[in-house]
Amino acid sequence: MQFKYLMPTKVFFGRGSVRENSSELASFGKKALIVTGGSSAKLSGALSDIAAALEGLGIEYSVFDKVENNPSPETVKAGGEAAKDIKADFIIGIGGGSPLDAAKGVAVLAVNDMDPMELYTNSFRNKPLPIVAVPTTAGTGSEVTPYSILTRNDLKTKMSFGNADTFPKVAFLDPAYTETMPFNVTANTAVDAFSHCLEGYLSKRSTPPSDVLAKEGISIFGSCLDALVRREIEGDTREKLLYMSMLGGFVISQTGTTVLHGMGYNLTYFKDVPHGKANGLLMAEYLKFNYPYAKEKTDNVLRLLGVETIDEFGGKLASILGEKPHITDEETEIFASITMKQRSTASNIRPVEASDIIKMMRNM
Ligand code: NAP
Ligand code: FE
């Protein structure tokens, strides 16, 4: 056995976790910049809990609420300027993966005079400001990963940056904040979280401890699958989905993702398909493609999900996720060539060629 394991984020999971552990914020300084999207921080109740915690500790704060879905380097740059303007000591990201990822970029740019495109070099002269993460979706696991995924218009895709210093220092995971998600956001983000567990488990970079976490996440997704198909998210399902998404973050922090995420970015960049849905629509084809190289693990996945076949699982995903985008043959070829350049494609358990991607995208 040979592996590395790094998870430096301090996690507080459970209802009321911000209120009960607000003293954690005291050590980061006297001024915070809150980075968030247009509405989710307020709607979910997370912003008022964080504001109350900061006020109780005498920490001043400003709110930068301009993060769009699939954030751009330009937005991160504007956030970095906002952090410099108030001389922020630390950054608090509140929201789905988009605001949490943006918060990581803001933490770097707040203390480094660099072009946001240089973020992708992962080399920062000054250490980023401490990051606190408060998720309001149960999907990306960004609260426990070092990754920040921003759009790359030069390469017409999305790409991640991040190093050991961009892991959030503290993450507060309160399932109550995810209750305001509409069904489609709940479903798309749940499938993203599952995708992290699945891809980490099937990755060339999987490790013994990441496999333990991945299998737990996969079985939790299996226990939520029927609720998602019925569109009835009740009882402890919110808590389970948030826990699974954290496990998925633990997994990809060790393994990264694979060709499935790489393919999905095309559907998001060119067809405006939400991130988790993009992965989910391609998932059955991805499982079939990898099957000859990962028979035992794929059989385990199906067993943990409580389904007999990949097609049965694909049918459930289709009913959860809804309509597929229309893609022309010409587009498929462009998507394949872009995906071949993604680092994660090289981690796929089965070696991938452009023709394989074309086939998976056509059969989707
Ligand atoms: P998102 O893009 O952050 O949010 C999607 C939508 O859901 C937004 O309109 C958002 O509103 C809304 N929303 C969020 N929480 C809500 C709540 N509690 N109630 C009601 N609405 C809510 O979605 P996401 O799927 O969580 O994040 C996707 C991004 O994360 C992508 O850019 C993806 O590439 C990235 N990602 C990152 C990692 C990582 O490791 N860092 C892993 C996978 C994916 P607002 O407009 O108010 O924000
Ligand atoms: Fe993802």
Side-chain angles (χ1 to χ4, degrees):
M1 271 197 215
Q2 210 169 30
F3 60 84
K4 165 176 101 181
Y5 187 87
L6 178 67
M7 179 36 61
T9 305
K10 197 174 196 183
V11 171
F12 295 92
F13 189 102
R15 289 177 190 266
S17 55
V18 169
R19 277 191 304 280
E20 278 164 30
N21 304 286
S22 59
S23 60
E24 288 292 322
L25 299 170
S27 64
F28 297 127
K30 282 284 153 208
K31 268 188 193 162
L33 181 71
I34 297 175
V35 174
T36 185
S39 62
S40 55
K42 289 188 207 94
L43 202 64
S44 62
L47 182 61
S48 59
D49 283 354
I50 285 287
L54 294 171
E55 282 155 22
L57 294 163
I59 298 173
E60 287 176 41
Y61 65 91
S62 295
V63 181
F64 176 82
D65 62 1
K66 299 190 175 49
V67 182
E68 71 278 39
N69 293 356
N70 304 300
S72 64
E74 292 72 33
T75 299
V76 169
K77 183 173 184 210
E81 297 301 328
K84 280 179 181 162
D85 285 347
I86 65 156
K87 298 196 172 56
D89 298 312
F90 66 110
I91 307 296
I92 305 177
I94 305 179
S98 297
L100 299 189
D101 285 5
K104 294 173 187 175
V106 169
V108 177
L109 296 185
V111 287
N112 288 284
D113 286 319
M114 58 197 268
D115 186 280
M117 293 304 282
E118 291 175 73
L119 288 168
Y120 299 105
T121 63
N122 279 335
S123 152
F124 319 128
R125 186 185 298 269
N126 299 311
K127 280 203 182 220
L129 293 180
I131 301 155
V132 175
V134 187
T136 64
T137 63
T140 69
S142 181
E143 65 277 8
V144 293
T145 76
Y147 311 122
S148 167
I149 300 166
L150 306 177
T151 48
R152 269 205 76 155
N153 289 324
D154 56 335
L155 301 177
K156 297 201 180 325
T157 189
K158 291 162 65 85
M159 198 171 269
S160 70
F161 79 87
N163 63 20
D165 295 323
T166 54
F167 272 101
K169 294 277 183 262
V170 173
F172 295 108
L173 289 85
D174 186 334
Y177 300 152
T178 66
E179 273 162 11
T180 47
M181 278 193 287
F183 177 76
N184 64 331
V185 180
T186 302
N188 298 339
T189 53
V191 172
D192 184 30
F194 169 68
S195 192
H196 299 153
C197 297
L198 177 71
E199 288 175 74
Y201 186 49
L202 299 183
S203 168
K204 262 191 353 203
R205 293 173 57 197
S206 83
T207 65
S210 70
D211 281 355
V212 172
L213 298 164
K215 281 189 279 189
E216 180 67 4
I218 292 166
S219 104
I220 293 170
F221 184 69
S223 75
C224 298
L225 201 49
D226 284 341
L228 288 164
V229 170
R230 288 197 316 272
R231 300 177 177 241
E232 284 170 11
I233 312 298
E234 51 197 21
D236 60 358
T237 305
R238 291 278 175 209
E239 187 172 273
K240 283 184 176 174
L241 292 175
L242 188 62
Y243 180 60
M244 170 190 58
S245 118
M246 179 200 70
L247 293 175
F250 287 169
V251 171
I252 56 168
S253 290
Q254 316 309 319
T255 65
T257 55
T258 65
V259 71
L260 181 53
H261 262 64
M263 290 192 291
Y265 291 146
N266 294 294
L267 302 187
T268 301
Y269 189 89
F270 291 97
K271 301 282 170 180
D272 212 21
V273 178
H275 171 67
K277 176 172 178 175
N279 297 333
L281 291 175
L282 289 156
M283 201 170 266
E285 285 307 311
Y286 162 84
L287 283 167
K288 286 181 197 169
F289 172 70
N290 282 314
Y291 190 69
Y293 284 68
K295 283 191 179 142
E296 199 185 319
K297 280 194 163 181
T298 309
D299 289 341
N300 281 342
V301 169
L302 298 177
R303 186 175 46 78
L304 291 169
L305 288 174
V307 295
E308 298 285 333
T309 62
I310 294 174
D311 280 331
E312 181 190 344
F313 180 50
K316 291 195 178 198
L317 282 176
S319 84
I320 293 169
L321 296 171
E323 261 177 48
K324 297 173 190 168
H326 176 70
I327 307 172
T328 65
D329 284 352
E330 195 190 347
E331 285 174 323
T332 312
E333 281 174 29
I334 297 167
F335 297 171
S337 102
I338 294 172
T339 309
M340 287 303 289
K341 294 183 201 127
Q342 287 279 358
R343 271 193 311 268
S344 55
T345 300
S347 301
N348 203 66
I349 186 93
R350 176 172 174 176
V352 184
E353 293 186 20
S355 57
D356 300 321
I357 296 171
I358 291 173
K359 202 169 148 202
M360 284 188 267
M361 297 200 91
R362 275 197 193 139
N363 292 344
M364 171 175 85

